[in-house]
Structure formats: structure tokens, C-alpha cells
Amino acid sequence: FPSHDRKWNGNHFFAGDWVEGFYAYKELTDEHVILVERANMNRPGSYFAEAEVIHGTVGQYTPYRDITGENICEGDIIHFTVFDHYGHDAQYRGVVKFAYGKWQIWRSEGNEYYGHDGAFDLDWVSNQDEEIEVIGNVTDNPELLEVE
């Protein structure tokens, strides 16, 4: 069943390009597809074309945008600042994940912890840092999550 409430993106299985639209899983053929909206040139309206995607690359768009206006998507790697009252601001980068019922920023794809603290809440970070920036994603740029 397609998920019509939010858009998704995924890496096209054959072309390797990113596509966006509505996600669906075809159980009979074990295919993960993005339904991409296309304009119908012969009459008003549009139609949807299927693009098979690599399952591990599928990510849902969050309701947030970065400093450039780009949609922040599950699997994106973002750079952000955490400000504190004492002026000890800290720079972080992490991967956007939907976990525990909310959008979070994890240190890496499999590790939510930044030291003794858990993951950052994306809603909280977006409210206190207006300069969140998408710098890549876990599919194309996994090296961005490596500890320096």
C-alpha cells in the first residue's frame, strides 16, 4: 500500500539516481518502489510511474528543512550546533532517523549515543539552531559519519 501522507525518496535500482514520491512495497514480487508523479502531456492531470529502488536507501521526508531550504530526509547526514547557557556551544553531525516515535539525530546509523547522552531530538535541534545543514546521506557519503 502506498503511503500518501508523506513523500519518500530512494536510490533507483537500475539507474542509481535518487527519486522521490510515495513509497510502496510489492509483496508478491518483493519489490520496493517509489511512485513518481509524472505530468500527463495529453490531458490535464498527472499519473504515477513506478521506480524500483534499493530497499536500504528508502527514507521518509521529515517536516523539517535545512538552512538552504532543502527537505531533511531520513538517512540524511546533518551538521548542527547545540547551544548552551554558558557559551560552550558544540558542533555535531549525525544521521536522521525515525526512532521511538519521533525524528532523531543519531551519531551513526547504528549508534544513537553521543557520549553518555542519547540521540538528539530533531524537533528540539531545529528550534534552537536555525543553521542545520544537510551535508550528505548514509548511502552516498557514509564517510561523513566517521569519527575524526
Side-chain angles (χ1 to χ4, degrees), residues 8-144:
W8 298 68
N9 74 358
N11 199 291
H12 194 277
F13 188 77
F14 299 105
D17 297 330
W18 287 92
V19 293
E20 69 176 39
F22 301 102
Y23 172 69
Y25 172 65
K26 296 168 69 175
E27 188 173 1
L28 290 175
T29 58
D30 192 32
E31 292 176 297
H32 299 268
V33 297
I34 299 289
L35 303 174
V36 181
E37 190 170 11
R38 301 280 190 227
N40 189 338
M41 304 310 268
N42 298 328
R43 61 178 183 229
S46 59
Y47 67 96
F48 289 91
E50 286 185 5
E52 186 177 354
V53 293
I54 302 166
H55 173 44
T57 68
V58 174
Q60 185 176 9
Y61 282 106
T62 72
Y64 306 100
R65 294 182 181 268
D66 78 350
I67 191 169
T68 67
E70 182 177 340
N71 290 311
I72 298 175
C73 186
E74 186 174 14
D76 280 346
I77 299 170
I78 61 174
H79 180 265
F80 60 100
T81 304
V82 173
F83 301 95
D84 76 3
H85 299 291
Y86 306 107
H88 300 116
D89 305 338
Q91 302 284 316
Y92 293 93
R93 68 173 64 162
V95 61
V96 175
K97 295 187 74 131
F98 189 79
Y100 310 110
K102 59 185 173 182
W103 291 107
Q104 296 184 333
I105 307 164
W106 287 28
R107 181 181 181 100
S108 68
E109 205 168 8
N111 181 4
E112 66 182 287
Y113 292 100
Y114 287 90
H116 65 283
D117 297 325
F120 288 103
D121 184 319
L122 182 56
D123 185 58
W124 178 79
V125 170
S126 69
N127 282 324
Q128 62 94 43
D129 181 5
E130 296 176 351
E131 297 181 356
I132 295 173
E133 183 180 13
V134 173
I135 58 172
N137 63 62
V138 294
T139 300
D140 295 333
N141 317 100
E143 72 280 358
L144 293 175

